PDB file of all heavy atoms in Angstrom:
ATOM      1  N   GLY B  58       0.769 -45.183   9.516  1.00 34.00           N
ATOM      2  CA  GLY B  58       1.007 -46.521   9.268  1.00 34.00           C
ATOM      3  C   GLY B  58       0.177 -47.196   8.207  1.00 34.00           C
ATOM      4  O   GLY B  58       0.650 -47.750   7.233  1.00 34.00           O
ATOM      5  N   ASP B  59      -1.084 -47.031   8.255  1.00 36.00           N
ATOM      6  CA  ASP B  59      -1.967 -47.645   7.408  1.00 36.00           C
ATOM      7  C   ASP B  59      -2.066 -46.915   6.079  1.00 36.00           C
ATOM      8  O   ASP B  59      -2.566 -47.389   5.105  1.00 36.00           O
ATOM      9  CB  ASP B  59      -3.350 -47.593   8.012  1.00 36.00           C
ATOM     10  CG  ASP B  59      -4.403 -48.575   7.341  1.00 36.00           C
ATOM     11  OD1 ASP B  59      -3.854 -49.729   6.958  1.00 36.00           O
ATOM     12  OD2 ASP B  59      -5.431 -48.219   7.083  1.00 36.00           O
ATOM     13  N   GLY B  60      -1.421 -45.710   6.112  1.00 36.00           N
ATOM     14  CA  GLY B  60      -1.640 -44.883   4.878  1.00 36.00           C
ATOM     15  C   GLY B  60      -0.487 -45.109   3.861  1.00 36.00           C
ATOM     16  O   GLY B  60      -0.542 -46.210   3.153  1.00 36.00           O
ATOM     17  N   ARG B  61       0.276 -44.232   3.629  1.00 36.00           N
ATOM     18  CA  ARG B  61       1.030 -44.127   2.318  1.00 36.00           C
ATOM     19  C   ARG B  61       2.181 -45.077   2.313  1.00 36.00           C
ATOM     20  O   ARG B  61       2.526 -45.621   1.255  1.00 36.00           O
ATOM     21  CB  ARG B  61       1.555 -42.756   2.142  1.00 36.00           C
ATOM     22  CG  ARG B  61       0.422 -41.768   2.014  1.00 36.00           C
ATOM     23  CD  ARG B  61       0.986 -40.436   1.886  1.00 36.00           C
ATOM     24  NE  ARG B  61       2.108 -40.546   1.020  1.00 36.00           N
ATOM     25  CZ  ARG B  61       2.305 -39.585   0.137  1.00 36.00           C
ATOM     26  NH1 ARG B  61       1.518 -38.564  -0.037  1.00 36.00           N
ATOM     27  NH2 ARG B  61       3.538 -39.615  -0.571  1.00 36.00           N
ATOM     28  N   TRP B  62       2.956 -45.216   3.367  1.00 35.00           N
ATOM     29  CA  TRP B  62       4.352 -45.765   3.202  1.00 35.00           C
ATOM     30  C   TRP B  62       4.436 -47.253   3.653  1.00 35.00           C
ATOM     31  O   TRP B  62       5.501 -47.771   3.688  1.00 35.00           O
ATOM     32  CB  TRP B  62       5.302 -44.884   4.026  1.00 35.00           C
ATOM     33  CG  TRP B  62       5.242 -43.511   3.615  1.00 35.00           C
ATOM     34  CD1 TRP B  62       4.692 -42.429   4.307  1.00 35.00           C
ATOM     35  CD2 TRP B  62       5.421 -43.022   2.202  1.00 35.00           C
ATOM     36  NE1 TRP B  62       4.694 -41.327   3.449  1.00 35.00           N
ATOM     37  CE2 TRP B  62       5.054 -41.604   2.279  1.00 35.00           C
ATOM     38  CE3 TRP B  62       5.717 -43.639   1.026  1.00 35.00           C
ATOM     39  CZ2 TRP B  62       5.080 -40.833   1.114  1.00 35.00           C
ATOM     40  CZ3 TRP B  62       5.831 -42.883  -0.091  1.00 35.00           C
ATOM     41  CH2 TRP B  62       5.599 -41.520  -0.063  1.00 35.00           C
ATOM     42  N   LEU B  63       3.332 -47.667   4.094  1.00 30.00           N
ATOM     43  CA  LEU B  63       3.309 -49.058   4.675  1.00 30.00           C
ATOM     44  C   LEU B  63       3.999 -50.009   3.566  1.00 30.00           C
ATOM     45  O   LEU B  63       4.803 -50.860   4.054  1.00 30.00           O
ATOM     46  CB  LEU B  63       1.936 -49.487   4.903  1.00 30.00           C
ATOM     47  CG  LEU B  63       1.844 -50.677   6.027  1.00 30.00           C
ATOM     48  CD1 LEU B  63       2.525 -50.223   7.192  1.00 30.00           C
ATOM     49  CD2 LEU B  63       0.448 -51.128   6.062  1.00 30.00           C
ATOM     50  N   GLU B  64       3.521 -49.966   2.375  1.00 33.00           N
ATOM     51  CA  GLU B  64       3.973 -50.952   1.384  1.00 33.00           C
ATOM     52  C   GLU B  64       5.411 -50.553   0.987  1.00 33.00           C
ATOM     53  O   GLU B  64       6.074 -51.446   0.453  1.00 33.00           O
ATOM     54  CB  GLU B  64       3.096 -50.917   0.273  1.00 33.00           C
ATOM     55  CG  GLU B  64       1.894 -51.869   0.430  1.00 33.00           C
ATOM     56  CD  GLU B  64       0.755 -51.168   1.151  1.00 33.00           C
ATOM     57  OE1 GLU B  64       0.892 -49.871   1.465  1.00 33.00           O
ATOM     58  OE2 GLU B  64      -0.210 -51.739   1.542  1.00 33.00           O
ATOM     59  N   LEU B  65       5.745 -49.313   1.176  1.00 33.00           N
ATOM     60  CA  LEU B  65       7.186 -48.990   0.828  1.00 33.00           C
ATOM     61  C   LEU B  65       8.183 -49.622   1.724  1.00 33.00           C
ATOM     62  O   LEU B  65       9.207 -50.148   1.307  1.00 33.00           O
ATOM     63  CB  LEU B  65       7.309 -47.562   0.910  1.00 33.00           C
ATOM     64  CG  LEU B  65       7.355 -46.882  -0.431  1.00 33.00           C
ATOM     65  CD1 LEU B  65       7.532 -45.272  -0.247  1.00 33.00           C
ATOM     66  CD2 LEU B  65       8.401 -47.382  -1.451  1.00 33.00           C
ATOM     67  N   ARG B  66       7.990 -49.602   3.063  1.00 34.00           N
ATOM     68  CA  ARG B  66       8.783 -50.153   4.002  1.00 34.00           C
ATOM     69  C   ARG B  66       7.994 -50.807   5.045  1.00 34.00           C
ATOM     70  O   ARG B  66       6.913 -50.327   5.464  1.00 34.00           O
ATOM     71  CB  ARG B  66       9.647 -49.063   4.701  1.00 34.00           C
ATOM     72  CG  ARG B  66      10.369 -48.167   3.625  1.00 34.00           C
ATOM     73  CD  ARG B  66      11.637 -47.602   4.236  1.00 34.00           C
ATOM     74  NE  ARG B  66      12.273 -46.674   3.371  1.00 34.00           N
ATOM     75  CZ  ARG B  66      13.169 -47.119   2.444  1.00 34.00           C
ATOM     76  NH1 ARG B  66      13.459 -48.449   2.421  1.00 34.00           N
ATOM     77  NH2 ARG B  66      13.727 -46.321   1.742  1.00 34.00           N
ATOM     78  N   PRO B  67       8.374 -52.016   5.445  1.00 35.00           N
ATOM     79  CA  PRO B  67       7.560 -52.718   6.437  1.00 35.00           C
ATOM     80  C   PRO B  67       7.583 -51.890   7.765  1.00 35.00           C
ATOM     81  O   PRO B  67       8.552 -51.201   8.013  1.00 35.00           O
ATOM     82  CB  PRO B  67       8.372 -54.080   6.596  1.00 35.00           C
ATOM     83  CG  PRO B  67       9.632 -53.900   5.940  1.00 35.00           C
ATOM     84  CD  PRO B  67       9.572 -52.811   4.941  1.00 35.00           C
ATOM     85  N   PRO B  68       6.560 -51.988   8.506  1.00 34.00           N
ATOM     86  CA  PRO B  68       6.371 -51.199   9.670  1.00 34.00           C
ATOM     87  C   PRO B  68       7.542 -51.245  10.670  1.00 34.00           C
ATOM     88  O   PRO B  68       7.879 -50.373  11.263  1.00 34.00           O
ATOM     89  CB  PRO B  68       5.158 -51.593  10.299  1.00 34.00           C
ATOM     90  CG  PRO B  68       4.306 -52.461   9.265  1.00 34.00           C
ATOM     91  CD  PRO B  68       5.353 -52.926   8.272  1.00 34.00           C
ATOM     92  N   ASP B  69       8.052 -52.511  10.730  1.00 36.00           N
ATOM     93  CA  ASP B  69       9.185 -52.569  11.715  1.00 36.00           C
ATOM     94  C   ASP B  69      10.467 -52.431  11.093  1.00 36.00           C
ATOM     95  O   ASP B  69      11.476 -52.811  11.692  1.00 36.00           O
ATOM     96  CB  ASP B  69       9.080 -54.061  12.336  1.00 36.00           C
ATOM     97  CG  ASP B  69       8.933 -55.140  11.274  1.00 36.00           C
ATOM     98  OD1 ASP B  69       8.779 -54.676  10.073  1.00 36.00           O
ATOM     99  OD2 ASP B  69       8.915 -56.184  11.591  1.00 36.00           O
ATOM    100  N   SER B  70      10.551 -51.933   9.870  1.00 34.00           N
ATOM    101  CA  SER B  70      11.808 -51.747   9.265  1.00 34.00           C
ATOM    102  C   SER B  70      12.749 -50.888  10.043  1.00 34.00           C
ATOM    103  O   SER B  70      12.320 -49.943  10.721  1.00 34.00           O
ATOM    104  CB  SER B  70      11.709 -51.266   7.867  1.00 34.00           C
ATOM    105  OG  SER B  70      12.723 -50.371   7.558  1.00 34.00           O
ATOM    106  N   ALA B  71      13.984 -51.107  10.021  1.00 35.00           N
ATOM    107  CA  ALA B  71      15.039 -50.393  10.787  1.00 35.00           C
ATOM    108  C   ALA B  71      15.077 -48.897  10.255  1.00 35.00           C
ATOM    109  O   ALA B  71      15.376 -48.024  11.008  1.00 35.00           O
ATOM    110  CB  ALA B  71      16.335 -50.996  10.593  1.00 35.00           C
ATOM    111  N   LEU B  72      14.605 -48.735   9.025  1.00 34.00           N
ATOM    112  CA  LEU B  72      14.619 -47.441   8.513  1.00 34.00           C
ATOM    113  C   LEU B  72      13.540 -46.488   9.167  1.00 34.00           C
ATOM    114  O   LEU B  72      13.623 -45.315   8.954  1.00 34.00           O
ATOM    115  CB  LEU B  72      14.502 -47.427   6.968  1.00 34.00           C
ATOM    116  CG  LEU B  72      15.778 -47.585   6.210  1.00 34.00           C
ATOM    117  CD1 LEU B  72      15.595 -48.016   4.913  1.00 34.00           C
ATOM    118  CD2 LEU B  72      16.557 -46.317   6.197  1.00 34.00           C
ATOM    119  N   ARG B  73      12.681 -47.086   9.742  1.00 32.00           N
ATOM    120  CA  ARG B  73      11.565 -46.284  10.407  1.00 32.00           C
ATOM    121  C   ARG B  73      12.177 -45.849  11.682  1.00 32.00           C
ATOM    122  O   ARG B  73      12.396 -46.541  12.659  1.00 32.00           O
ATOM    123  CB  ARG B  73      10.323 -47.126  10.578  1.00 32.00           C
ATOM    124  CG  ARG B  73       9.562 -47.353   9.337  1.00 32.00           C
ATOM    125  CD  ARG B  73       8.250 -47.774   9.651  1.00 32.00           C
ATOM    126  NE  ARG B  73       7.420 -46.577   9.903  1.00 32.00           N
ATOM    127  CZ  ARG B  73       6.109 -46.595   9.844  1.00 32.00           C
ATOM    128  NH1 ARG B  73       5.585 -47.855   9.734  1.00 32.00           N
ATOM    129  NH2 ARG B  73       5.392 -45.606   9.970  1.00 32.00           N
ATOM    130  N   SER B  74      12.406 -44.518  11.650  1.00 35.00           N
ATOM    131  CA  SER B  74      13.094 -44.095  12.948  1.00 35.00           C
ATOM    132  C   SER B  74      11.966 -43.846  13.972  1.00 35.00           C
ATOM    133  O   SER B  74      10.758 -43.732  13.739  1.00 35.00           O
ATOM    134  CB  SER B  74      13.675 -42.739  12.711  1.00 35.00           C
ATOM    135  OG  SER B  74      12.892 -42.109  11.857  1.00 35.00           O
ATOM    136  N   PRO B  75      12.360 -43.917  15.197  1.00 36.00           N
ATOM    137  CA  PRO B  75      11.533 -43.719  16.291  1.00 36.00           C
ATOM    138  C   PRO B  75      10.832 -42.382  16.281  1.00 36.00           C
ATOM    139  O   PRO B  75      11.295 -41.463  15.873  1.00 36.00           O
ATOM    140  CB  PRO B  75      12.345 -43.943  17.550  1.00 36.00           C
ATOM    141  CG  PRO B  75      13.627 -43.602  17.130  1.00 36.00           C
ATOM    142  CD  PRO B  75      13.786 -43.978  15.664  1.00 36.00           C
ATOM    143  N   THR B  76       9.617 -42.345  16.805  1.00 38.00           N
ATOM    144  CA  THR B  76       9.013 -41.068  16.878  1.00 38.00           C
ATOM    145  C   THR B  76       9.742 -40.158  17.818  1.00 38.00           C
ATOM    146  O   THR B  76      10.177 -40.550  18.923  1.00 38.00           O
ATOM    147  CB  THR B  76       7.503 -41.211  17.480  1.00 38.00           C
ATOM    148  OG1 THR B  76       7.429 -42.356  18.178  1.00 38.00           O
ATOM    149  CG2 THR B  76       6.495 -41.002  16.516  1.00 38.00           C
ATOM    150  N   SER B  77       9.765 -38.927  17.423  1.00 37.00           N
ATOM    151  CA  SER B  77      10.569 -38.020  18.197  1.00 37.00           C
ATOM    152  C   SER B  77       9.728 -37.539  19.368  1.00 37.00           C
ATOM    153  O   SER B  77      10.198 -36.999  20.285  1.00 37.00           O
ATOM    154  CB  SER B  77      11.056 -36.748  17.326  1.00 37.00           C
ATOM    155  OG  SER B  77       9.984 -36.225  16.728  1.00 37.00           O
ATOM    156  N   PHE B  78       8.396 -37.523  19.112  1.00 37.00           N
ATOM    157  CA  PHE B  78       7.510 -37.013  20.109  1.00 37.00           C
ATOM    158  C   PHE B  78       6.781 -37.995  20.884  1.00 37.00           C
ATOM    159  O   PHE B  78       6.074 -38.820  20.143  1.00 37.00           O
ATOM    160  CB  PHE B  78       6.565 -36.035  19.507  1.00 37.00           C
ATOM    161  CG  PHE B  78       7.318 -34.972  18.628  1.00 37.00           C
ATOM    162  CD1 PHE B  78       7.368 -35.096  17.308  1.00 37.00           C
ATOM    163  CD2 PHE B  78       7.799 -33.774  19.259  1.00 37.00           C
ATOM    164  CE1 PHE B  78       8.066 -34.235  16.577  1.00 37.00           C
ATOM    165  CE2 PHE B  78       8.403 -32.955  18.402  1.00 37.00           C
ATOM    166  CZ  PHE B  78       8.534 -33.103  17.175  1.00 37.00           C
ATOM    167  N   SER B  79       6.913 -38.096  22.160  1.00 36.00           N
ATOM    168  CA  SER B  79       6.136 -39.203  22.843  1.00 36.00           C
ATOM    169  C   SER B  79       4.670 -38.540  22.820  1.00 36.00           C
ATOM    170  O   SER B  79       4.372 -37.462  22.532  1.00 36.00           O
ATOM    171  CB  SER B  79       6.668 -39.274  24.252  1.00 36.00           C
ATOM    172  OG  SER B  79       6.423 -37.962  24.857  1.00 36.00           O
ATOM    173  N   SER B  80       3.755 -39.557  23.151  1.00 38.00           N
ATOM    174  CA  SER B  80       2.374 -39.152  23.044  1.00 38.00           C
ATOM    175  C   SER B  80       2.063 -37.983  23.977  1.00 38.00           C
ATOM    176  O   SER B  80       1.244 -37.229  23.684  1.00 38.00           O
ATOM    177  CB  SER B  80       1.516 -40.292  23.400  1.00 38.00           C
ATOM    178  OG  SER B  80       2.009 -40.895  24.732  1.00 38.00           O
ATOM    179  N   GLU B  81       2.789 -37.839  25.073  1.00 37.00           N
ATOM    180  CA  GLU B  81       2.586 -36.699  26.059  1.00 37.00           C
ATOM    181  C   GLU B  81       2.789 -35.420  25.490  1.00 37.00           C
ATOM    182  O   GLU B  81       2.055 -34.405  25.656  1.00 37.00           O
ATOM    183  CB  GLU B  81       3.419 -36.817  27.238  1.00 37.00           C
ATOM    184  CG  GLU B  81       3.119 -37.909  28.191  1.00 37.00           C
ATOM    185  CD  GLU B  81       3.693 -39.286  27.779  1.00 37.00           C
ATOM    186  OE1 GLU B  81       4.463 -39.320  26.780  1.00 37.00           O
ATOM    187  OE2 GLU B  81       3.383 -40.250  28.377  1.00 37.00           O
TER     188      GLU B  81
END
Side-chain angles (χ1 to χ4, degrees):
Chain B
D59 197 39
R61 300 175 40 139
W62 306 113
L63 199 62
E64 278 84 6
L65 255 183
R66 303 208 186 276
D69 51 352
S70 151
L72 271 162
R73 286 198 85 160
S74 39
T76 17
S77 58
F78 306 95
S79 64
S80 52
E81 286 82 10

